[in-house]
């Protein structure tokens, strides 16, 4: 059956400007890190993507290595795009990234010009696109000059293969340095994609911290893993389900389910219930709260394994503002919990 989007799809989703750019993103974006590889039914993927667009999600975030296997999420998304979303390409923001290992040999990962531009070409071919809207350096490379990595992003934009340049998991200091290099080249840094959640608050630390650095250069932020790899849900309050990420060893270790972390999750769950939200909804609303306090979180990047989960999480976009008392109570439980899987990248 031919897909026709909901004509009211833009009525309920808020859209936020990315830093000082002219681009807006939905308050909640959909990431294809999990659930869009060859291990998931194609029709389930289709249902999630269609429902997301119907509810105003215009931004779909990918990377070259998303799957499994690596590359399959982009290939599958390319099929969905051709079959369902091609007429609506100009209503979509599609992003991809390169930085993690994608193919064998010395040119298959990190931040060299050789790797980044070859990877972008492969991503475009897999998705059947002429360009992506945002192309990211997925992680800093400690052995490649930052000028080379940022020069590759500049080339991607100037060649028309990307409209905007972004970075992910860069420290505040590296972010400022990268932004200056890009500005000197004439291609502004649009956005940073950091991990950020109530249990992973590294972005708020330092002088300047990441958010202050982004404000300084006029860039926005899209927070990935706002649910702390699934910890900030009710899934683990009664143990480890057999079909969970922790059981499968996917981006969540049993060590993350420490008694201390479970106590924090229970405390946060109680506050969410008093607000009339699920824990996941409150966690996303909490990340988005920063927009109103001058800190440039443009969008929360979620995953979804089902339409029901998608709908539940998207409801966070219209969640009530927090009172000062609620934020103080949340801060009793929302503390660093040693769950940042990407911390090593920040040392590069």
């Amino acid at each position: 059956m031919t897909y026709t989007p909901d004509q009211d799809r833009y009525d309920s989703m808020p859209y936020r400007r990315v830093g000082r750019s002219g681009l807006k993103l939905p308050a909640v974006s959909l990431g294809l890190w999990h659930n869009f590889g060859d291990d998931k039914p194609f029709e389930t993927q289709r249902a999630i993507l269609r429902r997301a667009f119907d509810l105003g999600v215009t931004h779909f975030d990918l990377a070259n290595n998303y799957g499994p296997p690596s590359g399959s999420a982009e290939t599958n998304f390319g099929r969905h795009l051709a079959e369902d979303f091609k007429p609506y390409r100009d209503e979509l923001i599609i992003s991809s990234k390169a930085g993690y290992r994608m193919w064998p040999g010395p040119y298959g990962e990190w931040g060299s010009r050789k790797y980044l531009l070859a990877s972008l070409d492969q991503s475009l071919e897999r998705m059947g696109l002429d360009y992506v809207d945002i192309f990211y350096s997925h992680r800093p490379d400690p052995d490649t000059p930052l000028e080379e990595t940022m020069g590759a992003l500049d080339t991607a934009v100037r060649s028309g293969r990307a409209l905007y340049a972004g970075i992910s998991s860069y420290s505040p200091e590296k972010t400022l340095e990268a932004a200056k290099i890009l500005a000197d080249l004439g291609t502004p840094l649009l956005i940073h994609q950091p991990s950020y959640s109530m249990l992973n608050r590294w972005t708020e630390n330092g002088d300047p911290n990441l958010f202050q650095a982004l404000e300084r250069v006029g860039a926005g932020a899209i927070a990935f893993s706002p649910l702390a790899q699934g910890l900030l849900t009710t899934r683990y309050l009664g143990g480890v389900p057999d079909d969970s990420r922790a059981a499968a060893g996917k981006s969540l270790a049993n060590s993350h389910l420490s008694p201390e972390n479970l106590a924090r999750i229970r405390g946060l769950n109680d506050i969410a219930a008093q607000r009339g939200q699920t824990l996941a909804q409150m966690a996303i609303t909490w990340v988005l709260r920063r927009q109103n306090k001058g800190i440039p979180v443009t969008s929360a990047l979620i995953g979804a394994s089902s339409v029901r989960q998608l709908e539940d999480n998207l409801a966070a976009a219209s969640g009530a503002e927090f009172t000062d008392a609620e934020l103080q109570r949340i801060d009793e439980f929302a503390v660093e919990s040693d769950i940042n899987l990407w911390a090593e990248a920040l040392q590069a």
Side-chain angles (χ1 to χ4, degrees):
M1 178 183 293
T2 301
Y3 169 59
T4 302
D6 191 316
Q7 62 181 358
D8 299 324
R9 59 190 176 276
Y10 296 116
D11 290 352
S12 58
M13 175 66 72
Y15 297 88
R16 298 178 167 192
R17 192 169 301 280
V18 186
R20 292 197 291 267
S21 77
L23 185 68
K24 291 183 178 181
L25 294 181
V28 181
S29 301
L30 182 64
L32 278 64
W33 178 20
H34 297 291
N35 306 308
F36 290 86
D38 290 347
D39 59 336
K40 300 296 182 181
F42 190 77
E43 289 304 315
T44 300
Q45 299 175 25
R46 171 174 300 191
I48 294 169
L49 291 169
R50 285 182 172 184
R51 187 58 176 152
F53 191 49
D54 283 345
L55 292 174
V57 176
T58 55
H59 177 30
F60 299 114
D61 179 78
L62 299 105
N64 58 355
N65 62 331
Y66 288 177
S70 295
S72 61
E74 289 184 330
T75 299
N76 290 332
F77 181 75
R79 287 182 58 193
H80 294 296
L81 186 67
E83 296 175 14
D84 286 338
F85 299 104
K86 187 175 182 180
Y88 313 103
R89 172 64 182 98
D90 291 336
E91 298 181 42
L92 299 177
I93 299 297
I94 300 169
S95 59
S96 191
K97 303 180 278 296
Y100 288 93
R101 188 166 181 80
M102 187 59 188
W103 61 81
Y107 319 121
E109 62 179 327
W110 293 109
S112 71
R113 181 180 185 85
K114 166 74 172 176
Y115 168 64
L116 291 176
L117 295 178
S119 179
L120 176 55
D121 287 341
Q122 291 182 18
S123 292
L124 293 174
E125 183 175 358
R126 281 191 290 269
M127 292 187 284
L129 292 172
D130 295 324
Y131 69 94
V132 292
D133 296 277
I134 307 170
F135 183 55
Y136 289 88
S137 166
H138 207 166
R139 61 172 172 172
D141 182 345
D143 298 319
T144 296
L146 193 56
E147 290 81 1
E148 179 176 342
T149 301
M150 295 303 107
L153 296 184
D154 174 67
T155 295
V157 172
R158 290 184 180 277
S159 66
R161 287 176 276 183
L163 300 186
Y164 299 96
I167 58 177
S168 181
S169 297
Y170 277 56
S171 69
E173 295 77 18
K174 284 288 186 182
T175 295
L176 290 172
E177 187 179 352
K180 184 180 187 310
I181 294 169
L182 284 170
D184 289 345
L185 291 170
T187 297
L189 174 65
L190 174 79
I191 196 166
H192 188 299
Q193 189 173 128
S195 61
Y196 182 49
S197 73
M198 291 192 290
L199 300 179
N200 176 20
R201 301 179 67 165
W202 71 269
T203 50
E204 300 174 7
N205 301 326
D207 185 18
N209 66 36
L210 180 66
F211 293 133
Q212 291 167 337
L214 293 175
E215 278 198 307
R216 187 178 300 178
V217 301
I222 178 168
F224 77 88
S225 200
L227 303 185
Q229 296 92 259
L231 280 176
L232 291 169
T233 68
T234 58
R235 292 208 76 190
Y236 299 102
L237 295 182
V240 180
D242 291 338
D243 62 345
S244 66
R245 287 191 190 182
K250 289 185 175 181
S251 70
L252 184 62
N254 279 322
S255 61
H256 295 155
L257 298 169
S258 65
E260 294 81 7
N261 283 349
L262 289 175
R264 292 163 185 154
I265 295 166
R266 292 188 183 100
L268 292 168
N269 188 53
D270 289 342
I271 299 171
Q274 293 165 12
R275 283 175 49 83
Q277 289 185 299
T278 66
L279 176 55
Q281 288 169 347
M282 187 180 77
I284 295 167
T285 303
W286 182 88
V287 166
L288 295 173
R289 90 208 182 284
R290 287 301 196 174
Q291 187 74 14
N292 297 325
K293 293 182 178 292
I295 297 177
V297 172
T298 304
S299 184
L301 185 60
I302 65 165
S305 59
S306 67
V307 168
R308 180 178 178 180
Q309 183 184 50
L310 172 79
E311 292 173 342
D312 180 75
N313 289 347
L314 290 183
S318 56
E321 290 291 328
F322 293 97
T323 66
D324 289 342
E326 284 176 328
L327 290 174
Q328 289 175 4
R329 289 187 61 210
I330 286 171
D331 280 342
E332 295 176 17
F333 303 101
V335 298
E336 281 295 334
S337 302
D338 195 26
I339 63 165
N340 187 2
L341 300 177
W342 305 271
E344 185 177 347
L346 301 174
Q347 309 306 317

